[in-house]
Amino acid sequence: MMDQTLTTGPSASWQAELDELAERRRIARQMGGAERVARQHAGGRLTVRERIEQLLDDGSFQEIGSIAGKPTYDASGSVMTDFMPANGVFGRGAIEQRPVVIYGDDFTVRGGSADASIKGKYFMPEQMAGEYRLPLIRMIEGSGGGGSVKTIETRGHANLPGGIGQSSGLWLCAQNMGRIPVVALGLGSVAGLGAARLAASHYSIMVKHRSAVFVAGPPVVERLGETRTKQELGGHQVQVSAGTVDDAVDTEQEAFERTRRFLSYLPSSVWDLPPRQRNWDNPDRRDEHLISLVPKDRRKAYSMRRIIGSVVDQASFFEMGKHFGRAIITGFARLDGWPVAILAGDPLFGGGAWGAAASRKITRFVDLAQTFHLPMVHLVDCFGFAVGLQAESSATMRHAVTAISAIHQSTIPWCAVIIRNVFGVGGGAHVPHTQTPIRYAWPSGNWGSLPLEGGVEAAYRAEIAAADDPDAKLKQIEQRLEQMRSPFRSAEAFLIEEIIDPRDTRPLLCAFANMAAPLRTPGQSLFTMRP
């Protein structure tokens, strides 16, 4: 029988190996070296390790793959003479004591390009977050592990995109859109696969004047005859207004704060429910200014954001995508502590009519709420679909019908409050027709198949043309119809369930949130958000 005598003493210790492990970790933490770190700071950008430290709860980061990289050994193969860390840092941590998975590109090592990457460090965060049902945060700078022409030389062959062993991992990103909250931060120049990973998220942020996002950068497009700076080609003014990126902020610290706040409204995965926070606001609060906020003159606009701020829990509204599809306002808020999704028409932009951009915004937002079980509050002011050549040539009808489909396919609880206009096909989609409506209207409600303004001329063209005084006839018809289109007439016919005092909006919405809370059902939705 083999002698199993225990061996003790210095010769049995693994201290030498632990010392080597500590040294390798020390080298890896130097990232691309002092000179490149200084260059990163000179550009006004934090390093990946500084970013992770500032975003996560203090001391919560547990790194995975801390010594992964590309070493160089001496001729004997026993002594490491050089080491280039993998240009990505990932691990687990916590935000507000909730566990998360985080990955960040290290731009100080080969600018985040593929020739310094290890694919497993891109794939594992996606897999781990999805399988363990944890929110995922991507901090992207560079090509995000995407290809560089240098890889042809370093690997001895050209990659076949999507070929065997050449997956970009975007299939994992797509899967996670229906499983866990994903936040992506563009924190420098982001191109190619990095830009795709930024867009493949539920919420994306870039830093003004520091970040630029593009399919291909200025050197590539210049070869095609277009000379642009990074900011001209992919700065925040381009990408936020185009809807590629949701929001732009002034500093990286602000991006971290918005990341934390976004996640606070959502569950850790679709198999959980959004958390309620202790309410700090009276659910029965009635703001007096609401009674006169909407002008009686329909030609005058008003601030929908003031209404939102008055009816939700104080300071709880978190707007997203403010500068894209501006006829629509979207964001999260709380009602009596419960997280809800807020969808609202903005009369300051096209009268709240749905154009192509606004319709795309609605679709993504409804799908986001559906994915994570957030009840929807719709503050309605919609003149229908946008009209005119610009609307037609941007496929407004196609995108608007997609938005309507998302609304009618949703199964989350909805509550609609009609603030002013409800017209046309778009207006008719203010609640899903597959549910019993929870719906209120303010006395300022104004609805119909078409607005009287312009609609009368079309419907009564022959009668007006035959009149001795067409202008007087037009005015007479408008006055007659004006009396009949009073919201009280609709309430008499039970076409609107209840007309309310605007000051009662918050108490009623808080009651809805409490009524909807038990109906939220965890699990994967049949219709989930796509990028």
Side-chain angles (χ1 to χ4, degrees):
M1 180 179 294
M2 183 179 295
D3 184 5
Q4 295 185 0
T5 303
L6 293 176
T7 303
T8 60
S11 62
S13 171
W14 291 91
Q15 189 59 51
E17 287 80 4
L18 293 176
D19 291 343
E20 181 178 353
L21 175 60
E23 177 62 14
R24 286 173 177 256
R25 285 176 172 167
R26 185 192 67 80
I27 295 172
R29 283 194 293 268
Q30 292 178 346
M31 297 170 284
E35 182 179 339
R36 288 175 179 164
V37 168
R39 192 182 308 163
Q40 183 87 352
H41 287 158
R45 305 189 309 280
L46 299 172
T47 66
V48 62
R49 294 185 179 275
E50 291 167 337
R51 289 165 175 164
I52 291 172
E53 180 181 356
Q54 291 191 25
L55 174 59
L56 297 181
D57 293 352
D58 290 345
S60 69
F61 183 54
Q62 298 177 331
E63 188 171 355
I64 299 172
S66 61
I67 62 170
K70 297 186 177 180
T72 302
Y73 289 93
D74 65 5
S76 69
S78 59
V79 178
M80 186 175 69
T81 59
D82 195 14
F83 180 75
M84 180 174 67
N87 57 5
V89 177
F90 113 87
R92 297 187 303 275
I95 291 179
E96 303 296 334
Q97 301 182 334
R98 294 172 62 191
V100 299
V101 174
I102 189 166
Y103 177 90
D105 292 321
D106 185 356
F107 195 75
T108 69
V109 181
R110 292 288 306 130
S113 62
D115 52 322
S117 68
I118 295 177
K119 275 198 171 182
K121 289 196 77 173
Y122 286 105
F123 289 2
M124 186 174 282
E126 303 286 338
Q127 294 166 323
M128 179 179 291
E131 292 172 18
Y132 284 86
R133 303 180 177 182
L134 300 175
L136 174 64
I137 300 160
R138 305 188 193 112
M139 295 178 167
I140 304 171
E141 185 174 11
S143 64
S148 160
V149 294
K150 274 199 170 183
T151 58
I152 299 174
E153 188 171 39
T154 58
R155 296 179 181 176
H157 59 79
N159 293 328
L160 172 63
I164 296 175
Q166 304 301 316
S167 171
S168 66
L170 283 179
W171 66 276
L172 288 168
C173 299
Q175 271 193 334
N176 280 337
M177 292 292 289
R179 302 193 297 185
I180 57 170
V182 180
V183 181
L185 291 73
L187 300 175
S189 294
V190 179
L193 178 57
R197 292 171 64 233
L198 182 68
S201 63
H202 299 104
Y203 183 55
S204 56
I205 316 171
M206 59 192 298
V207 180
K208 297 176 184 177
H209 312 299
R210 304 289 185 192
S211 304
V213 178
F214 21 65
V215 176
V220 176
V221 299
E222 189 171 359
R223 292 288 296 268
L224 301 176
E226 187 175 347
T227 302
R228 301 284 184 186
T229 66
K230 287 183 178 181
Q231 291 300 312
E232 289 172 341
L233 183 62
H236 73 278
Q237 291 180 326
V238 175
Q239 299 295 12
V240 171
S241 61
T244 305
V245 178
D246 294 308
D247 285 319
V249 295
D250 293 322
T251 65
E252 292 192 23
Q253 287 76 15
E254 189 178 350
F256 305 154
E257 175 55 34
R258 289 190 70 84
T259 297
R260 287 189 286 264
R261 193 168 175 202
F262 174 83
L263 292 174
S264 73
Y265 295 91
L266 297 179
S268 293
S269 76
V270 300
W271 292 279
D272 201 354
L273 292 175
R276 185 185 192 185
Q277 289 187 357
R278 183 183 63 82
N279 186 25
W280 59 90
D281 193 2
N282 181 3
D284 294 323
R285 174 170 52 80
R286 301 171 81 250
D287 285 359
E288 288 296 323
H289 73 91
L290 291 176
I291 197 171
S292 56
L293 197 148
V294 178
K296 287 195 171 183
D297 185 346
R298 296 193 185 103
R299 295 170 298 179
K300 295 181 179 179
Y302 61 92
S303 172
M304 181 64 82
R305 288 180 177 84
R306 284 193 66 193
I307 295 177
I308 295 171
S310 289
V311 301
V312 304
D313 292 355
Q314 289 182 354
S316 73
F317 182 52
F318 179 81
E319 186 171 359
M320 296 172 285
K322 181 176 182 178
H323 299 287
F324 170 68
R326 302 189 72 177
I328 293 294
I329 299 169
T330 55
F332 297 152
R334 293 188 180 275
L335 289 167
D336 200 18
W338 294 109
V340 296
I342 300 289
L343 176 69
D346 192 344
L348 297 176
F349 292 92
W354 299 4
S359 299
R360 288 163 50 202
K361 185 174 180 177
I362 292 168
T363 300
R364 290 189 78 244
F365 187 68
V366 171
D367 287 347
L368 173 61
Q370 175 73 20
T371 299
F372 293 110
H373 325 302
L374 287 170
M376 182 71 72
V377 171
H378 188 186
L379 302 178
V380 186
D381 193 337
C382 176
F383 250 121
F385 298 160
V387 299
L389 179 59
Q390 175 60 37
E392 301 298 347
S393 46
S394 58
T396 287
M397 182 58 74
R398 170 71 67 185
H399 292 297
V401 170
T402 301
I404 290 174
S405 299
I407 291 169
H408 290 322
Q409 289 168 342
S410 69
T411 58
I412 53 175
W414 278 69
C415 179
V417 181
I418 298 172
I419 307 298
R420 186 186 258 174
N421 295 309
V422 182
F423 288 103
V425 179
H430 58 274
V431 291
H433 295 178
T434 54
Q435 300 181 21
T436 301
I438 304 295
R439 177 170 48 196
Y440 305 100
W442 285 14
S444 50
N446 176 39
W447 47 69
S449 298
L450 288 170
L452 285 189
E453 298 77 13
V456 173
E457 290 92 328
Y460 294 86
R461 179 180 291 113
E463 186 176 343
I464 293 170
D468 295 333
D469 187 342
D471 290 339
K473 189 64 175 179
L474 172 61
K475 188 174 181 179
Q476 179 188 35
I477 295 172
E478 287 180 338
Q479 288 175 343
R480 183 175 75 242
L481 294 178
E482 184 69 37
Q483 292 177 339
M484 298 182 66
R485 72 169 180 174
S486 162
F488 298 114
R489 293 287 188 101
S490 298
E492 291 168 359
F494 199 55
L495 297 178
I496 177 65
E497 291 76 19
E498 195 67 26
I499 299 173
I500 63 170
D501 183 330
R503 295 167 294 188
D504 290 331
T505 304
R506 171 170 168 76
L508 289 168
L509 289 180
C510 287
F512 162 74
N514 281 286
M515 185 169 61
L519 303 180
R520 302 172 306 161
T521 304
Q524 284 188 293
S525 174
L526 182 62
F527 300 98
T528 62
M529 185 176 174
R530 295 182 179 181

